[in-house]
Amino acid sequence: MIRCREIEIVDLDAIADLLANGFPVRPRDYWIDGLRRLAVRETPDSFPRFGYMLEHDRTPVGALLLIHTARCDGGNISIRCNLSSWYVQPAYRSYAPMMTKVAQRHRDVTYVNISPAQWTWDAIEAQGFRRYCAGLFFSFPALSRPPRDMRVEVVRQDTQAIDGLSESDVALLARHALYGCLVLVCRAADGRAFPFVLQPMRLGRVSLPSMQMIYCADVADYIACAGAIGRFLVRRGWISVALDANGPVTGLVGIYREPIGRKYFKGPHCPRLADLSDSELVIYGP
C-alpha cells in the first residue's frame, strides 16, 4: 500500500538516502545538512516543516521538499512555499501526482519553483504555474561609478541591530549570514543603509567568478550601490553579480542570458525579482 504523509524528524536519514540516489550529482551531506537546517528553522503554524513523502512498506519511495516562509507585505502576512526538490523512484511514479496535489492544495499560498529543469517546464505550466523570471543578468558592478563616501559593512550572524534597518530586516540578514551567505550593508554618506545578501554561484563549465543576488530591498538599490559593491568584491576575487531579470538592466554594465535562471510561481502574489531569501539556495545550498 502506498501512502502520502508529512516528512518527520525520524525520516530524515532515509529521505537523505533517497534523494542522494535520485540526484547523484549531490552528495548525501548536501541533503542532510539542509534538512537539519529546516529542523531548527521557524516554520509557519499548520504547514509541514520538511515536505511530503510517498511511503511503501514503511520505506520512503518518493519525496517533495518544501520550504514555507511567512512574509509581511504592507502589514499583511502571506505564506510563500518553495517547492525545492522532487524525486520518486521509477516504479512508483504513477503515484507522484498524489503527492504534488497534497503539497499544493492551499489556494492562499504562493508556490515558487526557482530551479526547474528544462524538461519539466511544460508539466509545470500545465499545473498552473506562470513564469515570473525569464533569465539572469550578469552584472559587472566594479565598472559602475562608486557613490561618494559610501561604506560597505559586513553583517555577521550574531548582529542584533543595524542603524537604519528594522528588526525584521536585521533578523533576515543575520539569518542568512548564519547560512553562509555574504551579507553586506552599504552605508550612504547621509547615513541611509542598503542591505544585500549574496552567495557564490555555481555556473558549471562557465569560469566566471560570480555571486548571486539572494536579496536586496529593490533592484534600484543595487544599481545605486553597484560601484561600491563591485570594488569590495573584486578585492576578494569576484567580478560578477547575477540577478534575476526579464531583460537587460538599465544602469548596470553586464550580459543578459535566457533561459538560465528561469523561475515560476503559482498563487496570489507574484514574487519580486531579486528576492530569493529563505529559499533552497540558502537552506540547501547552490
Side-chain angles (χ1 to χ4, degrees), residues 161-240:
I162 300 173
D163 290 343
L165 296 181
S166 67
E167 289 185 7
S168 60
D169 284 339
V170 175
L172 183 150
L173 298 182
R175 184 168 67 249
H176 285 73
L178 178 63
Y179 293 149
C181 296
L182 174 62
V183 182
L184 306 175
V185 169
C186 290
R187 182 76 60 181
D190 60 6
R192 288 179 299 159
F194 301 94
F196 300 92
V197 177
L198 303 166
Q199 183 182 56
M201 189 175 186
R202 293 180 58 187
L203 287 174
R205 298 178 181 178
V206 181
S207 57
L208 179 67
S210 295
M211 300 290 277
Q212 183 156 17
M213 181 67 71
I214 297 296
Y215 174 82
C216 65
D218 193 295
V219 173
D221 293 347
Y222 174 60
I223 296 172
C225 301
I229 292 173
R231 282 153 180 78
F232 177 91
L233 292 178
V234 162
R235 292 195 294 270
R236 290 156 179 82
W238 302 98
I239 65 173
S240 176

Side-chain angles (χ1 to χ4, degrees), residues 35-209:
L35 290 166
R36 287 171 177 166
R37 283 178 173 173
L38 286 178
V40 297
R41 177 181 177 272
E42 184 177 349
T43 301
D45 292 342
S46 78
F47 291 97
R49 179 171 294 276
F50 306 104
Y52 291 95
M53 60 183 282
L54 290 175
E55 185 178 57
H56 176 253
D57 196 21
R58 299 185 181 182
T59 300
V61 296
L64 175 56
L65 302 183
L66 307 175
I67 303 172
H68 287 90
T69 305
R71 293 172 172 263
C72 183
D73 184 13
N76 298 316
I77 301 297
S78 62
I79 303 296
R80 180 181 296 182
C81 176
N82 180 184
L83 305 168
S84 64
S85 298
W86 175 97
Y87 176 71
V88 178
Q89 291 179 356
Y92 301 95
R93 291 208 173 143
S94 61
Y95 296 94
M98 174 173 61
M99 186 170 59
T100 57
K101 184 176 181 179
V102 170
Q104 301 174 30
R105 69 184 186 275
H106 299 285
R107 293 186 178 182
D108 56 343
V109 171
T110 297
Y111 296 95
V112 297
N113 189 331
I114 65 171
S115 57
Q118 186 166 351
W119 62 270
T120 68
W121 291 351
D122 289 343
I124 290 170
E125 292 171 4
Q127 294 175 23
F129 281 82
R130 292 176 286 165
R131 188 185 69 189
Y132 77 91
C133 174
L136 290 176
F137 184 79
F138 291 87
S139 66
F140 301 99
L143 298 180
S144 296
R145 179 177 296 178
R148 185 175 181 180
D149 296 328
M150 177 171 279
R151 305 192 315 273
V152 179
E153 306 166 1
V154 177
V155 177
R156 310 297 180 186
Q157 64 186 57
D158 57 353
T159 299
Q160 298 182 355
I162 300 173
D163 290 343
L165 296 181
S166 67
E167 289 185 7
S168 60
D169 284 339
V170 175
L172 183 150
L173 298 182
R175 184 168 67 249
H176 285 73
L178 178 63
Y179 293 149
C181 296
L182 174 62
V183 182
L184 306 175
V185 169
C186 290
R187 182 76 60 181
D190 60 6
R192 288 179 299 159
F194 301 94
F196 300 92
V197 177
L198 303 166
Q199 183 182 56
M201 189 175 186
R202 293 180 58 187
L203 287 174
R205 298 178 181 178
V206 181
S207 57
L208 179 67

